[in-house]
Amino acid sequence: MSTFRAPKGTEDVLPPDSRWWRFAHRAFDGLCERFGFDLTMTPMFEDTEVFARGVGGDTEVVEKQMYTFTDKGGRSLTLRPEATASVVRAQIQAGGVATTFKGAYWGPMFRYERPQKGRNRQFHQAGVEYLGSASAEADVEVIEFGWRYLEQLGLSSVELRLNSIGDPADRAAYDEEIRRYLDERREALSEDARRRVDTNPMRVLDSKADASIVADAPVPLDHIGSPALSHFDEVRAGLDHLGIPHVLAPRLVRGLDYYNRTVWEYVPTDYDAAQSSVGGGGRYDGLFEVLGGKPTPAVGLAMGIDRIRLAAPPLGAETALDVFVVVVSDDARATARRLVSELRSDGLRVDMTDRPRPMKAQFKEADRRGAGHAVIVGDEWADGSVTIKDLALGDQEVISNKEIASWLRTR
């Protein structure tokens, strides 16, 4: 009988690697609370038009990568390839954004791509959306959020690449110029690029297959109007004020059509992979209208958790449990189970075996589970004392059994 395996382009996350994922999730959630981004949860599938319209009909995501299916009611639905369009749809459905709204999400996304290092068909993103603000300060705050998140996860060598693609009128004028440039070189372009020359020429800047041709192409930053340029200057000044270094990336356009003005990416400089960016974002002031809502300025980012995991340093000596309770005899088992419950109520991470086992086996289990200490419950409990062992150092200490929680908190 054949053995089932996870579908191609997906991965199981199991201990001990799942400890890093829990750490990353908690770091993200804590940062969201400090920055004031509230949790936003949307369905993992949407009406296909949410993405076809929102992301852009002639983007590679919509043309080639979406998991689209027809349900039993005859409706065309798509597993979300990204979350921004879903968040905007949800806000429109809820009545729109009255002033400003700051939301955050975490979850799986789906794109049909050729799996490789840092690129899966089911991947995980964490992101924030700052809705209702046209201020450059909103751009700076969202960019800072991603920068601080990578800092918390230990990525110390990261390059922030920054660009502006201007306003819609700037984009229209630039499209004409880049189209002329590319049309003169049409025969040397890839098949996808030749098609996009007529429909969406700026997308060709994002084509790795045509990198040598676009290397000398005109860039959006040289063709943006005064309002967009002033906004971009404010963003750069804001980052400088916070001490966040950045480099200009004049050919950076991102892969989704809803962006305008500021766009950026975070790229670890010591991470070697075809998919080198671990996150990025941009401003998308027109997306609400595209999806049927009222004009609402907005800016957001998405962080690729799978890619960050590959680029991040290991957690080191981080323990999974504060303490593992080791039971000397069957007579002490009920006492040990009550102690586990009490310590958990005190906020400590505690566990014990689910059945009587030899002490040696219990200590092996404690090591396997990543416990920092072992509390040994035996005959001395009746005298008001208990032995605690540091599992990393091997040191033991006898203390009052009433002081276990406070003792552990000081270690």
Side-chain angles (χ1 to χ4, degrees), residues 234-271:
E234 289 182 47
V235 171
R236 297 188 66 190
L239 293 172
D240 289 341
H241 186 71
L242 294 176
I244 298 177
H246 63 276
V247 297
L248 287 179
R251 288 174 180 77
L252 175 62
V253 295
R254 304 287 290 159
L256 309 176
D257 270 0
Y258 51 61
Y259 287 120
N260 69 295
R261 292 199 175 186
T262 318
V263 291
W264 70 89
E265 288 183 341
Y266 308 96
V267 180
T269 56
D270 54 0
Y271 172 54

Side-chain angles (χ1 to χ4, degrees), residues 84 129-140 142-143 163-167 231 235 254 256-264 280-287 296-301:
T84 297
E129 313 290 354
Y130 198 142
L131 311 179
S133 175
S135 170
E137 291 186 19
D139 301 41
V140 172
V142 172
I143 294 170
N163 194 23
S164 176
I165 57 176
D167 290 320
H231 182 97
V235 171
R254 304 287 290 159
L256 309 176
D257 270 0
Y258 51 61
Y259 287 120
N260 69 295
R261 292 199 175 186
T262 318
V263 291
W264 70 89
R283 179 161 284 280
Y284 51 94
D285 295 331
L287 184 55
T296 305
V299 61
L301 65 75

Side-chain angles (χ1 to χ4, degrees), residues 71-372:
D71 73 358
K72 293 182 178 180
R75 293 170 287 262
S76 179
L77 301 174
T78 297
L79 297 178
R80 61 187 184 194
E82 60 96 49
T84 297
S86 292
V87 171
V88 169
R89 189 272 311 152
Q91 285 296 320
I92 294 172
Q93 184 175 330
V97 179
T99 53
T100 59
F101 172 80
K102 296 168 69 173
Y105 62 85
W106 172 294
M109 311 294 159
F110 306 86
R111 296 184 191 179
Y112 189 86
E113 300 186 89
R114 182 173 61 85
Q116 57 180 278
K117 182 180 179 181
R119 185 170 70 183
N120 286 328
R121 291 174 177 172
Q122 176 179 303
F123 56 100
H124 298 78
Q125 285 188 343
V128 298
E129 313 290 354
Y130 198 142
L131 311 179
S133 175
S135 170
E137 291 186 19
D139 301 41
V140 172
E141 178 163 321
V142 172
I143 294 170
E144 182 193 4
F145 180 96
W147 184 265
R148 302 304 179 203
Y149 183 53
L150 294 175
E151 280 184 338
Q152 286 202 8
L153 298 187
L155 279 76
S156 57
S157 300
V158 176
E159 185 174 84
L160 170 60
R161 298 176 182 175
L162 193 69
N163 194 23
S164 176
I165 57 176
D167 290 320
D170 305 328
R171 168 81 174 268
Y174 173 72
D175 278 352
E176 289 302 315
E177 181 162 350
I178 186 69
R179 183 177 287 114
R180 284 193 296 270
Y181 174 88
L182 295 172
D183 207 33
E184 293 172 357
R185 298 157 177 80
R186 184 182 289 264
E187 293 305 314
L189 295 171
S190 65
E191 182 179 346
D192 278 351
R194 286 198 296 271
R195 181 168 48 80
R196 288 200 168 95
V197 169
D198 299 317
T199 60
N200 196 345
M202 192 173 74
R203 287 268 72 79
V204 180
L205 292 182
D206 204 34
S207 171
K208 291 182 173 60
D210 302 282
S212 61
I213 296 174
V214 301
D216 297 319
V219 294
L221 189 57
D222 292 336
H223 299 80
I224 64 176
S226 296
L229 183 59
S230 176
H231 182 97
F232 191 53
D233 287 343
E234 289 182 47
V235 171
R236 297 188 66 190
L239 293 172
D240 289 341
H241 186 71
L242 294 176
I244 298 177
H246 63 276
V247 297
L248 287 179
R251 288 174 180 77
L252 175 62
V253 295
R254 304 287 290 159
L256 309 176
D257 270 0
Y258 51 61
Y259 287 120
N260 69 295
R261 292 199 175 186
T262 318
V263 291
W264 70 89
E265 288 183 341
Y266 308 96
V267 180
T269 56
D270 54 0
Y271 172 54
D272 182 23
Q275 307 299 320
S276 57
S277 169
V278 295
R283 179 161 284 280
Y284 51 94
D285 295 331
L287 184 55
F288 272 79
E289 291 176 87
V290 169
L291 294 180
K294 298 177 181 178
T296 305
V299 61
L301 65 75
M303 308 301 290
I305 306 303
D306 309 72
R307 295 183 187 176
I308 294 173
R309 176 68 186 100
L310 294 172
L315 286 182
E318 178 75 12
T319 58
L321 294 172
D322 294 307
V323 64
F324 196 90
V325 175
V326 174
V327 189
V328 173
S329 65
D330 291 350
D331 293 340
R333 191 159 188 82
T335 299
R337 176 57 66 186
R338 186 171 64 250
L339 174 63
V340 168
S341 179
E342 291 172 353
L343 293 178
R344 285 172 176 169
S345 296
D346 282 335
L348 294 168
R349 302 168 298 169
V350 190
D351 212 346
M352 63 181 285
T353 59
D354 63 337
R355 62 192 184 280
R357 299 180 67 189
M359 285 185 63
K360 184 176 180 180
Q362 292 181 66
F363 275 108
K364 284 185 177 180
E365 177 76 359
D367 287 334
R368 186 183 70 80
R369 297 289 302 280

